Amino acid sequence: MFFGKPKQTDQSGRVPPNQNVTTKFPVLHAGNVPYYKDMTKWNLQVYGLVDEPMLLSFNDIKAFPTAETKNDIHCVTGWSRLDNVWQGVRAKDIAEKAQVKKEAGFVILHAEEGWTANLPLADFIAETSLLAYAHNGEPLTPEHGFPLRGVFPHLYFWKSAKWLRGIQFTKENHPGFWEQNGYHMRGDPWQNQRFQWD
């Protein structure tokens, strides 16, 4: 895989351990890239431990207040990309609209082809957490998760699932795709939590 030549720079504490800064935006994923020609066939299901389950169209997503965040992202494979600007919906707004039950402690993100990622509810509703449909002022490309991807910049970027189709609130923590294959259950880049034994 070629990411462009990484460059190590002193970013005043912005880059976690064992990461290299790149200006490229590498494309990494498991499975195929979905291409949506008819957005009426896409929806996002919000369900599980909620009082108000939802089935949202892309227009429904765009009807939420637009949020914009600027952050750095860190991939478990060792690259970091600084100063990304994302537009989308705050994950917290989705959780509030669904009225998440008290007993919910975790979230499972469901994507195309059965791909999943897990994270604690506190990480999902963090102020920096977004469900993004645009990056740096342009709609997401299919390779980067169009029409909707999670963005949880305080965790390694595999947690920021592309091609979202479902958000499930659960009581227990269930490992997602990469977690079942040896990746860390939380994935904090500042703690170097790459694998289960870290």
Side-chain angles (χ1 to χ4, degrees):
M1 289 174 284
F2 178 70
F3 302 149
K5 185 178 180 182
K7 55 182 180 179
Q8 288 185 308
T9 58
D10 178 11
Q11 296 295 330
S12 302
R14 290 175 64 182
V15 181
N18 303 312
Q19 294 290 114
N20 293 309
V21 175
T22 181
T23 57
K24 304 288 186 184
F25 196 169
V27 175
L28 300 169
H29 58 265
N32 299 307
V33 175
Y35 292 87
Y36 299 95
K37 295 181 180 178
D38 182 359
M39 285 304 295
T40 64
K41 297 182 189 238
W42 181 90
N43 55 48
L44 179 74
Q45 185 179 10
V46 182
Y47 64 107
L49 295 177
V50 298
D51 287 329
E52 295 292 336
M54 298 183 288
L55 188 63
L56 302 171
S57 68
F58 192 57
N59 286 336
D60 293 332
I61 294 288
K62 297 289 288 283
F64 279 84
T66 301
E68 182 172 289
T69 63
K70 183 177 181 180
N71 53 51
D72 306 331
I73 55 178
H74 311 290
C75 182
V76 72
T77 61
W79 58 265
S80 293
R81 190 177 193 277
L82 308 183
D83 298 321
N84 301 273
V85 178
W86 305 91
Q87 295 83 29
V89 178
R90 291 192 317 159
K92 185 177 182 180
D93 288 349
I94 296 288
E96 288 178 355
K97 182 80 171 173
Q99 298 180 33
V100 177
K101 294 178 183 287
K102 289 183 188 176
E103 58 266 35
F106 298 92
V107 174
I108 304 170
L109 303 174
H110 295 266
E112 292 290 354
E113 298 191 355
W115 197 91
T116 56
N118 64 307
L119 63 162
L121 178 60
D123 288 318
F124 181 80
I125 62 174
E127 287 301 317
T128 56
S129 296
L130 201 69
L131 305 180
Y133 43 73
H135 177 259
N136 289 350
E138 298 291 336
L140 290 177
T141 63
E143 292 78 12
H144 287 297
F146 177 84
L148 195 69
R149 80 172 300 162
V151 177
F152 309 101
H154 59 290
L155 301 176
Y156 279 121
F157 208 45
W158 92 77
K159 295 289 189 177
S160 295
K162 303 178 189 179
W163 312 303
L164 285 180
R165 296 304 302 271
I167 299 171
Q168 180 183 6
F169 295 90
T170 64
K171 183 176 182 180
E172 306 296 335
N173 194 8
H174 301 277
F177 175 85
W178 290 111
E179 294 77 18
Q180 292 175 43
N181 287 281
Y183 280 53
H184 199 277
M185 286 291 279
R186 179 145 189 269
D188 182 341
W190 298 99
Q191 299 297 319
N192 211 24
Q193 293 175 340
R194 298 172 193 268
F195 305 105
Q196 290 179 4
W197 51 87
D198 292 332

